[in-house]
């Protein structure tokens, strides 16, 4: 075999070996960043090294610093596993090495992304003519949608942002819920909108925006307006009342954006679709395929109702670029990028409509099972309504809660991550992986029981 074939063979063997350890290895890494820097931080070699030997060495040395995210007991943050078809398709994407910004340059990968986008719109009940841009994750999906929103609301006010910039532009009113995700604040910052400029709407005990408060806030101002709603609060899993809130926003001429990094997928389940009722009336939606759909990092999706708004915000004009209809680089900030939508195509095709619904339902069922198990443990309080895939719990004191969280990571059976909710420490489980089984839930509850003071 040549260098390429031997390196690929080494990578395949090492990948299979890693995946084979997932059921038994500690879920949280056993090595720190400093320890990994010591392992990898050697001087740059003066001479070339054998590619297969490099792959073997990287894989061996990385072992203690790896997280068992692809396994069934990683419940931290909101991070899915990797569906088999998506994982294999991602290997193809790297081998093909297609620069997938242009349909003329890379028609095969762009076609798969376009079809995946159409399937996504069908599954989620969103307008079929919407643009779907594949970006790195929920952060860039929110940014992409809100950049289109800012451009559009300023255009409605008679301001050409591309020509005149932001200096002297009419101020954009940016309305958010009190329990929004931090990626909304960060996207706004990228767009030149600071937190002091936000109009913040109060939320209920689960993090849902109060309709009466939204009406009050909107009645108190005027000008170009963006309202951000949420499908799936990262702590509680709660969904805003889209039908009521969007109707209120529409009366004020707002662009309505829905941040649904993992929550948008509830619309694919007949049993959970009620959580997203009315969501389809918004102007843009952000989601992550690497969360609920379980494709490899990275694969966010920025969806905009009117593709003309995406084009107005992002189409560039290079004298060497060739345009052929609605291209990927017309709807996102990137020109050059990998074909990150191909694994999404593979996952959707492998699962089918019913498989996606079953996956979402199973994630919810796992959350219900986890909450039930935790409620059976002395001193643990589950503090959210388990309507979707999130479970949040705590002990009597903040100190005890944080100590339990640290002990769970050291134990290694599972990963849950800490949070602050209504001024108190909490621990949060997110059911996001296709690989999680009932046994994984029961093993985790058993491990937590053993760690309780």
């Amino acid at each position: 075999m040549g260098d390429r074939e031997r390196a690929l063979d080494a990578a395949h063997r090492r990948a299979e070996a890693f995946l084979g350890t997932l059921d038994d290895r500690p879920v949280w890494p056993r090595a720190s960043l400093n320890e990994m820097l010591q392992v990898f931080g050697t001087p740059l070699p003066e001479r070339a090294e054998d590619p297969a030997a490099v792959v073997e060495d990287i894989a061996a040395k990385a072992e203690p610093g790896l997280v068992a995210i692809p396994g069934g007991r990683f419940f931290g943050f909101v991070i899915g596993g990797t569906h088999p078809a998506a994982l294999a398709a991602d290997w193809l994407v790297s081998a093909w090495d297609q620069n997938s910004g242009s349909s003329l340059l890379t028609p095969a990968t762009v076609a798969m992304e376009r079809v995946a986008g159409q399937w996504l719109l069908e599954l989620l009940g969103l307008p079929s003519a919407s643009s779907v841009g594949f970006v790195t994750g929920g952060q860039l999906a929110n940014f992409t949608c809100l950049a289109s929103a800012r451009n559009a609301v300023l255009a409605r006010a008679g301001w050409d942002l591309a020509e005149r910039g932001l200096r002297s532009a009419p101020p954009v009113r940016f309305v958010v819920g009190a329990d929004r995700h931090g990626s909304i604040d960060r996207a706004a910052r990228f767009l030149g909108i600071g937190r002091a400029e936000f109009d913040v709407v109060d939320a209920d005990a689960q993090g849902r925006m109060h309709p009466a408060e939204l009406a009050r806030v909107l009645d108190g101002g005027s000008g170009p307006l963006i309202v951000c709603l949420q499908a799936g609060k990262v702590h509680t899993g709660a969904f805003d009342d889209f039908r009521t809130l969007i109707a209120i926003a529409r009366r004020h001429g707002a662009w309505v954006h829905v941040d649904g990094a993992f929550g948008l997928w509830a619309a694919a389940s007949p049993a959970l679709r009620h959580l997203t009722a009315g969501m389809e009336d918004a102007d843009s939606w952000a989601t992550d395929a690497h969360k609920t759909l379980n494709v490899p990092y990275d694969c966010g999706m920025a969806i905009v109702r009117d593709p003309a708004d995406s084009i107005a915000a992002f189409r560039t004009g290079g004298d060497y670029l060739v345009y052929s209809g609605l291209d990927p680089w017309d709807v996102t900030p990137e020109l050059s990028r990998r074909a990150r939508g191909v694994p999404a195509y593979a996952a959707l095709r492998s699962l089918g409509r019913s498989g996606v619904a079953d996956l979402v339902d199973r994630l919810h069922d796992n959350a219900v099972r986890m909450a039930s198990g935790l409620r059976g443990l002395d001193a643990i309080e589950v503090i959210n309504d388990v309507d979707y895939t999130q479970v949040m719990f705590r002990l009597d004191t903040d100190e005890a809660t944080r100590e339990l969280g640290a002990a769970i990571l050291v134990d290694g059976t599972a990963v849950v991550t800490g949070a602050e909710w209504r001024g108190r420490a909490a621990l949060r489980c997110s059911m996001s992986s296709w690989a999680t089984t009932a046994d994984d839930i029961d093993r985790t509850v058993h491990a937590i029981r053993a760690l309780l003071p």
Side-chain angles (χ1 to χ4, degrees):
M1 293 189 290
D3 283 353
R4 181 167 59 194
E5 289 75 19
R6 290 188 304 105
L8 287 171
D9 182 62
H12 177 258
R13 286 187 287 101
R14 284 292 188 169
E16 290 279 16
F18 169 71
L19 295 173
T21 69
L22 291 175
D23 195 49
D24 299 315
R25 70 184 293 132
V27 181
W28 197 243
R30 301 292 95 176
S32 68
L33 172 61
N34 284 339
E35 289 169 328
M36 288 288 95
L37 286 171
Q38 290 177 6
V39 168
F40 291 110
T42 59
L44 179 67
E46 289 294 332
R47 294 179 175 82
E49 297 184 7
D50 175 67
V54 169
V55 171
E56 291 279 4
D57 187 63
I58 288 172
K61 289 179 176 176
E63 270 292 311
L66 296 176
V67 191
I69 289 174
R73 295 186 307 282
F74 184 91
F75 306 122
F77 307 100
V78 188
I79 298 176
T82 307
H83 187 273
L87 172 59
D90 198 56
W91 288 3
L92 284 177
V93 167
S94 292
W96 290 341
D97 193 26
Q98 304 288 286
N99 184 345
S100 297
S102 164
S103 60
L104 182 69
L105 176 64
T106 53
T109 56
V110 172
M112 281 186 275
E113 288 193 347
R114 189 169 297 177
V115 171
Q118 285 299 309
W119 287 346
L120 173 72
L121 297 175
E122 292 174 18
L123 282 171
L124 303 186
L126 299 179
S128 61
S130 302
S131 66
V132 180
F134 288 88
V135 293
T136 56
Q139 176 68 79
L140 261 292
N142 278 322
F143 167 78
T144 300
C145 291
L146 291 172
S148 296
R150 180 188 63 177
N151 193 81
V153 298
L154 285 175
R156 294 172 193 168
W159 188 267
D160 185 340
L161 181 62
E163 183 65 29
R164 303 174 70 182
L166 280 174
R167 187 175 300 168
S168 301
V172 174
R173 297 186 66 206
F174 196 70
V175 179
V176 298
D179 291 307
R180 65 200 176 274
H181 191 271
S183 64
I184 294 293
D185 295 43
R186 198 160 178 249
R189 190 196 330 155
F190 297 163
L191 295 167
I193 303 170
R195 283 193 298 270
E197 300 176 272
F198 293 4
D199 287 329
V200 180
V201 181
D202 288 340
D204 68 14
Q206 294 294 311
R208 305 178 189 93
M209 186 183 288
H210 282 299
E213 284 299 299
L214 176 64
R216 183 188 64 78
V217 168
L218 296 188
D219 286 340
S222 60
L225 176 62
I226 299 171
V227 174
C228 297
L229 305 180
Q230 189 166 215
K233 167 67 183 165
V234 73
H235 291 79
T236 66
F239 289 68
D240 282 333
D241 178 356
F242 299 112
R243 201 171 301 285
T244 301
L245 294 168
I246 292 175
I248 294 168
R250 284 279 180 258
R251 292 199 291 270
H252 293 265
W255 176 293
V256 180
H257 171 65
V258 176
D259 172 19
F262 64 100
L264 248 61
W265 296 92
S269 161
L272 297 171
R273 192 171 294 149
H274 64 278
L275 296 170
T276 63
M279 173 184 76
E280 66 277 6
D281 294 329
D283 297 289
S284 60
W285 307 263
T287 193
D288 269 356
H290 68 71
K291 289 184 167 60
T292 307
L293 188 59
N294 281 214
V295 307
Y297 277 101
D298 50 32
C299 192
M301 297 170 177
I303 307 165
V304 176
R305 173 182 290 274
D306 187 348
D309 290 321
S310 296
I311 291 170
F314 292 110
R315 177 169 280 178
T316 187
D319 56 11
Y320 69 98
L321 299 176
V322 180
Y323 292 91
S324 53
L326 187 66
D327 277 341
W329 58 26
D330 290 328
V331 298
T332 74
E334 296 172 298
L335 287 179
S336 301
R337 65 168 178 82
R338 76 194 311 269
R340 61 173 61 97
V342 171
Y345 172 88
L348 289 169
R349 182 172 168 184
S350 178
L351 289 165
R353 187 184 304 274
S354 64
V356 174
D358 290 345
L359 171 59
V360 175
D361 289 341
R362 191 163 70 251
L363 299 180
H364 174 245
D365 291 344
N366 287 338
V368 171
R369 187 181 186 94
M370 177 70 82
S372 177
L374 291 172
R375 288 190 183 104
L377 303 182
D378 291 339
I380 283 186
E381 176 192 8
V382 175
I383 53 178
N384 68 307
D385 298 333
V386 186
D387 295 330
Y388 191 45
T389 58
Q390 308 301 95
V391 181
M392 187 165 54
F393 65 99
R394 65 185 172 209
L395 300 184
D396 291 339
T397 68
D398 288 356
E399 181 182 12
T401 300
R402 294 189 180 105
E403 287 178 354
L404 176 61
I408 292 170
L409 300 183
V410 171
D411 172 78
T413 300
V415 167
V416 304
T417 44
E420 296 287 330
W421 182 248
R422 299 297 189 254
R424 290 193 57 188
L427 297 172
R428 190 168 55 77
C429 304
S430 177
M431 300 298 146
S432 302
S433 177
W434 70 278
T436 301
T437 64
D439 181 64
D440 287 319
I441 302 297
D442 296 343
R443 285 175 64 181
T444 300
V445 172
H446 179 78
I448 292 173
R449 178 187 290 110
L451 293 169
L452 287 173

